[in-house]
Amino acid sequence: GVDDPSCLTAEDVIAVSWEDSIKGRVVAVKEQTMLHGFRDIAHQLYYVNSGFGVEPSSRGRACYGWNLYTGEKCRIERPDVMGIVPEDRLPDFAKKNLVAAKEKAHKERDKDAR
């Protein structure tokens, strides 16, 4: 389950600008960009590893990765990203799912490299 259901705030994350890469990082989306009824930490944390939006100074907005609660592959928009979440700030469910998400990302990379 979710230990602390409330959302992370700007104080909990490392702020990012468009000049920063967020590739291979855990990010939190802004609470106001989440649907009502889904405004909790479970729907806020994503491991992003691809899409033009993860690259610095990109004109693209799409960031692809995994929801760290459901483990599902998903797309988020770069302007919705509040910042990078330090791994020591992650709740236990996210730490567990992050391991799996990194493995999935690694498998995808290997598949693309062939």
Side-chain angles (χ1 to χ4, degrees):
V2 180
D3 316 340
D4 175 13
S6 60
C7 286
L8 295 175
T9 65
E11 285 81 67
D12 298 311
V13 300
I14 301 160
V16 288
S17 76
W18 283 95
E19 280 77 61
D20 298 310
S21 168
I22 57 171
K23 185 173 185 158
R25 304 304 294 266
V26 175
V27 298
V29 294
K30 298 169 189 156
E31 186 174 353
Q32 65 269 28
T33 65
M34 295 156 49
L35 295 170
H36 284 283
F38 294 95
R39 290 188 175 180
D40 56 46
I41 196 168
H43 297 91
Q44 189 179 24
L45 299 174
Y46 297 88
Y47 171 72
V48 291
N49 75 314
S50 64
F52 289 118
V54 302
E55 302 296 345
S57 305
S58 169
R59 292 172 56 187
R61 299 160 57 105
C63 302
Y64 297 97
W66 287 268
N67 173 307
L68 289 183
Y69 183 65
T70 64
E72 288 172 16
K73 182 123 198 208
C74 60
R75 170 186 169 151
I76 60 171
E77 299 297 312
R78 178 70 186 243
D80 295 349
V81 171
M82 178 170 61
I84 293 171
V85 184
E87 291 195 16
D88 62 354
R89 301 282 322 210
L90 292 176
D92 288 341
F93 76 82
K95 286 180 184 156
K96 280 193 207 89
N97 287 339
L98 177 58
V99 174
K102 285 182 174 177
E103 283 173 10
K104 290 175 191 168
H106 194 70
K107 283 194 180 101
E108 278 187 4
R109 263 198 310 276
D110 290 350
K111 199 171 65 197
D112 292 345
R114 270 189 238 127

mmCIF file of all heavy atoms in Angstrom, residues 86-104:
data_model
loop_
_atom_site.group_PDB
_atom_site.id
_atom_site.type_symbol
_atom_site.label_atom_id
_atom_site.label_comp_id
_atom_site.label_asym_id
_atom_site.label_seq_id
_atom_site.Cartn_x
_atom_site.Cartn_y
_atom_site.Cartn_z
ATOM 1 N N PRO A 86 14.696 12.457 -5.262
ATOM 2 C CA PRO A 86 15.852 11.696 -4.775
ATOM 3 C C PRO A 86 15.386 10.306 -4.318
ATOM 4 O O PRO A 86 14.321 10.184 -3.713
ATOM 5 C CB PRO A 86 16.346 12.516 -3.576
ATOM 6 C CG PRO A 86 15.733 13.867 -3.730
ATOM 7 C CD PRO A 86 14.447 13.663 -4.473
ATOM 8 N N GLU A 87 16.182 9.287 -4.623
ATOM 9 C CA GLU A 87 15.731 7.926 -4.326
ATOM 10 C C GLU A 87 15.487 7.695 -2.838
ATOM 11 O O GLU A 87 14.646 6.898 -2.471
ATOM 12 C CB GLU A 87 16.688 6.891 -4.923
ATOM 13 C CG GLU A 87 16.600 6.911 -6.445
ATOM 14 C CD GLU A 87 17.216 5.700 -7.146
ATOM 15 O OE1 GLU A 87 17.455 4.671 -6.496
ATOM 16 O OE2 GLU A 87 17.441 5.812 -8.361
ATOM 17 N N ASP A 88 16.181 8.443 -1.969
ATOM 18 C CA ASP A 88 15.939 8.251 -0.534
ATOM 19 C C ASP A 88 14.610 8.854 -0.076
ATOM 20 O O ASP A 88 14.166 8.613 1.040
ATOM 21 C CB ASP A 88 17.103 8.794 0.312
ATOM 22 C CG ASP A 88 17.317 10.294 0.141
ATOM 23 O OD1 ASP A 88 16.650 10.916 -0.708
ATOM 24 O OD2 ASP A 88 18.165 10.844 0.867
ATOM 25 N N ARG A 89 13.969 9.627 -0.950
ATOM 26 C CA ARG A 89 12.652 10.198 -0.614
ATOM 27 C C ARG A 89 11.510 9.321 -1.113
ATOM 28 O O ARG A 89 10.351 9.632 -0.882
ATOM 29 C CB ARG A 89 12.485 11.589 -1.261
ATOM 30 C CG ARG A 89 13.489 12.626 -0.880
ATOM 31 C CD ARG A 89 13.253 13.243 0.459
ATOM 32 N NE ARG A 89 11.846 13.452 0.777
ATOM 33 C CZ ARG A 89 11.393 14.405 1.550
ATOM 34 N NH1 ARG A 89 12.217 15.265 2.072
ATOM 35 N NH2 ARG A 89 10.121 14.509 1.815
ATOM 36 N N LEU A 90 11.839 8.259 -1.838
ATOM 37 C CA LEU A 90 10.794 7.418 -2.411
ATOM 38 C C LEU A 90 10.148 6.539 -1.353
ATOM 39 O O LEU A 90 10.841 5.971 -0.506
ATOM 40 C CB LEU A 90 11.367 6.517 -3.507
ATOM 41 C CG LEU A 90 11.831 7.200 -4.777
ATOM 42 C CD1 LEU A 90 12.464 6.176 -5.716
ATOM 43 C CD2 LEU A 90 10.686 7.917 -5.469
ATOM 44 N N PRO A 91 8.819 6.391 -1.426
ATOM 45 C CA PRO A 91 8.163 5.424 -0.543
ATOM 46 C C PRO A 91 8.559 3.998 -0.958
ATOM 47 O O PRO A 91 9.025 3.777 -2.074
ATOM 48 C CB PRO A 91 6.671 5.674 -0.769
ATOM 49 C CG PRO A 91 6.569 6.478 -2.010
ATOM 50 C CD PRO A 91 7.887 7.123 -2.275
ATOM 51 N N ASP A 92 8.340 3.048 -0.056
ATOM 52 C CA ASP A 92 8.783 1.670 -0.307
ATOM 53 C C ASP A 92 8.213 1.084 -1.592
ATOM 54 O O ASP A 92 8.921 0.405 -2.333
ATOM 55 C CB ASP A 92 8.425 0.770 0.885
ATOM 56 C CG ASP A 92 9.314 1.086 2.091
ATOM 57 O OD1 ASP A 92 10.383 1.694 1.896
ATOM 58 O OD2 ASP A 92 8.926 0.732 3.213
ATOM 59 N N PHE A 93 6.918 1.326 -1.872
ATOM 60 C CA PHE A 93 6.331 0.739 -3.083
ATOM 61 C C PHE A 93 7.075 1.215 -4.328
ATOM 62 O O PHE A 93 7.283 0.449 -5.266
ATOM 63 C CB PHE A 93 4.826 1.039 -3.191
ATOM 64 C CG PHE A 93 4.492 2.445 -3.631
ATOM 65 C CD1 PHE A 93 4.507 2.802 -4.975
ATOM 66 C CD2 PHE A 93 4.158 3.418 -2.704
ATOM 67 C CE1 PHE A 93 4.207 4.101 -5.382
ATOM 68 C CE2 PHE A 93 3.857 4.712 -3.104
ATOM 69 C CZ PHE A 93 3.889 5.053 -4.449
ATOM 70 N N ALA A 94 7.497 2.471 -4.320
ATOM 71 C CA ALA A 94 8.178 3.028 -5.490
ATOM 72 C C ALA A 94 9.584 2.467 -5.623
ATOM 73 O O ALA A 94 10.046 2.196 -6.731
ATOM 74 C CB ALA A 94 8.212 4.557 -5.402
ATOM 75 N N LYS A 95 10.257 2.268 -4.500
ATOM 76 C CA LYS A 95 11.607 1.686 -4.548
ATOM 77 C C LYS A 95 11.564 0.294 -5.168
ATOM 78 O O LYS A 95 12.408 -0.059 -5.981
ATOM 79 C CB LYS A 95 12.213 1.616 -3.141
ATOM 80 C CG LYS A 95 12.646 2.971 -2.622
ATOM 81 C CD LYS A 95 13.235 2.847 -1.222
ATOM 82 C CE LYS A 95 13.576 4.222 -0.678
ATOM 83 N NZ LYS A 95 13.614 4.268 0.777
ATOM 84 N N LYS A 96 10.563 -0.510 -4.746
ATOM 85 C CA LYS A 96 10.438 -1.870 -5.275
ATOM 86 C C LYS A 96 10.165 -1.825 -6.777
ATOM 87 O O LYS A 96 10.790 -2.542 -7.554
ATOM 88 C CB LYS A 96 9.279 -2.594 -4.587
ATOM 89 C CG LYS A 96 9.631 -3.135 -3.223
ATOM 90 C CD LYS A 96 8.557 -4.109 -2.760
ATOM 91 C CE LYS A 96 8.459 -4.180 -1.262
ATOM 92 N NZ LYS A 96 7.552 -3.218 -0.645
ATOM 93 N N ASN A 97 9.203 -0.997 -7.182
ATOM 94 C CA ASN A 97 8.829 -0.954 -8.596
ATOM 95 C C ASN A 97 9.893 -0.296 -9.462
ATOM 96 O O ASN A 97 9.955 -0.555 -10.659
ATOM 97 C CB ASN A 97 7.481 -0.254 -8.768
ATOM 98 C CG ASN A 97 6.343 -1.143 -8.280
ATOM 99 O OD1 ASN A 97 6.495 -2.358 -8.191
ATOM 100 N ND2 ASN A 97 5.216 -0.544 -7.959
ATOM 101 N N LEU A 98 10.725 0.534 -8.862
ATOM 102 C CA LEU A 98 11.805 1.171 -9.616
ATOM 103 C C LEU A 98 12.798 0.116 -10.114
ATOM 104 O O LEU A 98 13.265 0.187 -11.248
ATOM 105 C CB LEU A 98 12.516 2.209 -8.752
ATOM 106 C CG LEU A 98 13.712 2.911 -9.392
ATOM 107 C CD1 LEU A 98 13.297 3.627 -10.675
ATOM 108 C CD2 LEU A 98 14.332 3.894 -8.415
ATOM 109 N N VAL A 99 13.080 -0.867 -9.285
ATOM 110 C CA VAL A 99 13.989 -1.944 -9.693
ATOM 111 C C VAL A 99 13.438 -2.632 -10.944
ATOM 112 O O VAL A 99 14.145 -2.848 -11.923
ATOM 113 C CB VAL A 99 14.184 -2.957 -8.534
ATOM 114 C CG1 VAL A 99 14.993 -4.157 -8.994
ATOM 115 C CG2 VAL A 99 14.857 -2.270 -7.353
ATOM 116 N N ALA A 100 12.144 -2.963 -10.914
ATOM 117 C CA ALA A 100 11.506 -3.629 -12.055
ATOM 118 C C ALA A 100 11.494 -2.719 -13.285
ATOM 119 O O ALA A 100 11.759 -3.176 -14.400
ATOM 120 C CB ALA A 100 10.080 -4.036 -11.683
ATOM 121 N N ALA A 101 11.213 -1.434 -13.081
ATOM 122 C CA ALA A 101 11.164 -0.494 -14.211
ATOM 123 C C ALA A 101 12.536 -0.369 -14.870
ATOM 124 O O ALA A 101 12.637 -0.334 -16.100
ATOM 125 C CB ALA A 101 10.667 0.874 -13.739
ATOM 126 N N LYS A 102 13.586 -0.328 -14.064
ATOM 127 C CA LYS A 102 14.936 -0.231 -14.629
ATOM 128 C C LYS A 102 15.275 -1.491 -15.429
ATOM 129 O O LYS A 102 15.908 -1.413 -16.481
ATOM 130 C CB LYS A 102 15.970 -0.009 -13.520
ATOM 131 C CG LYS A 102 15.950 1.411 -12.982
ATOM 132 C CD LYS A 102 17.007 1.617 -11.915
ATOM 133 C CE LYS A 102 17.073 3.078 -11.504
ATOM 134 N NZ LYS A 102 18.029 3.319 -10.416
ATOM 135 N N GLU A 103 14.819 -2.651 -14.938
ATOM 136 C CA GLU A 103 15.045 -3.899 -15.678
ATOM 137 C C GLU A 103 14.313 -3.870 -17.017
ATOM 138 O O GLU A 103 14.855 -4.277 -18.041
ATOM 139 C CB GLU A 103 14.578 -5.103 -14.849
ATOM 140 C CG GLU A 103 15.550 -5.467 -13.749
ATOM 141 C CD GLU A 103 15.012 -6.547 -12.812
ATOM 142 O OE1 GLU A 103 13.956 -7.150 -13.113
ATOM 143 O OE2 GLU A 103 15.655 -6.774 -11.774
ATOM 144 N N LYS A 104 13.074 -3.393 -17.005
ATOM 145 C CA LYS A 104 12.301 -3.302 -18.252
ATOM 146 C C LYS A 104 12.975 -2.344 -19.234
ATOM 147 O O LYS A 104 13.059 -2.626 -20.426
ATOM 148 C CB LYS A 104 10.868 -2.835 -17.962
ATOM 149 C CG LYS A 104 10.028 -3.870 -17.249
ATOM 150 C CD LYS A 104 8.671 -3.270 -16.890
ATOM 151 C CE LYS A 104 7.893 -4.168 -15.938
ATOM 152 N NZ LYS A 104 6.737 -3.471 -15.369
#
